[in-house]
Amino acid sequence: MHDRPMLDPAHPGAPRPRGVHVLTSEQRVRTGLAGTFAFFADAANLQAITPPFLDFRILTPLPVEMRVGALIEYRLRLAGLPLGWLTRIEEWEPGRGFTDVQLRGPYTRWVHRHRFLPDGTGTRVLDRVEYALPLAPLSAPAHALLVRPALERIFAFRREAVARRLG
């Protein structure tokens, strides 16, 4: 988590709202930019890079036409409780990246930016998630003890799964 004020991309020049946390992840894969982007642009691959303990299921009929405004609905389990989640693609830049935003789900804010940069014959995969929990600042202990460690575990699994598939 970054403690310094960060800009809120929804409101350029304004500081990030209090209670918004940031998680970043980066890895290099051997697959070129086109193949890497194609992998992440296929919503069906989301299930393959999500840890089994979340029991993640895409409810939207596949294939999903990825574009600005595309909606993806899925269900997962957290601590045994079923959770519905609805995401909208807010930005779509083929070959460069995309941003998905949670419309319905467990967070009061979830903005996930996926960026892809050429790196020699491979690709750098960059993730940045801005998220907030309900009832902040009362949720701060739950964030520190449960949510942040779970998100770090999820993204560690994701990096390993991506590395297995893209090298």
Side-chain angles (χ1 to χ4, degrees):
M1 179 174 73
H2 301 288
D3 291 313
R4 62 183 175 12
M6 300 191 70
L7 296 182
D8 180 353
H11 303 93
R16 182 170 34 113
R18 191 167 183 79
V20 174
H21 307 281
V22 175
L23 176 74
T24 60
S25 178
E26 180 175 348
Q27 75 183 107
R28 183 187 186 282
V29 296
R30 290 191 303 255
T31 303
L33 184 60
T36 300
F37 187 82
F39 176 83
F40 281 92
D42 183 349
N45 288 327
L46 189 54
Q47 190 164 329
I49 62 173
T50 301
F53 75 85
L54 290 176
D55 193 25
F56 181 88
R57 300 284 179 251
I58 298 171
L59 302 178
T60 302
L62 297 173
V64 175
E65 180 190 346
M66 296 294 275
R67 58 177 170 69
V68 170
L71 299 174
I72 306 169
E73 186 174 12
Y74 34 93
R75 180 161 309 280
L76 55 99
R77 289 189 176 275
L78 198 53
L81 300 172
L83 294 172
W85 194 307
L86 179 63
T87 294
R88 179 176 56 223
I89 303 300
E90 291 288 321
E91 296 176 327
W92 182 254
E93 300 174 68
R96 297 186 60 205
F98 60 95
T99 301
D100 59 84
V101 174
Q102 174 201 279
L103 299 180
R104 185 179 68 240
Y107 296 91
T108 56
R109 176 182 177 96
W110 180 274
V111 179
H112 184 176
R113 289 177 176 77
H114 308 257
R115 296 293 177 257
F116 307 95
L117 302 171
D119 187 12
T121 58
T123 304
R124 284 181 47 218
V125 178
L126 309 165
D127 290 286
R128 176 185 167 85
V129 181
E130 296 175 12
Y131 65 98
L133 301 175
L135 305 175
L138 298 176
S139 58
H143 174 257
L145 294 172
L146 301 171
V147 176
R148 184 62 180 218
L151 287 174
E152 289 174 353
R153 183 175 165 206
I154 290 165
F155 274 82
F157 179 93
R158 179 185 177 101
R159 284 188 301 275
E160 291 170 11
V162 167
R164 281 192 305 273
R165 285 159 179 80
L166 301 179

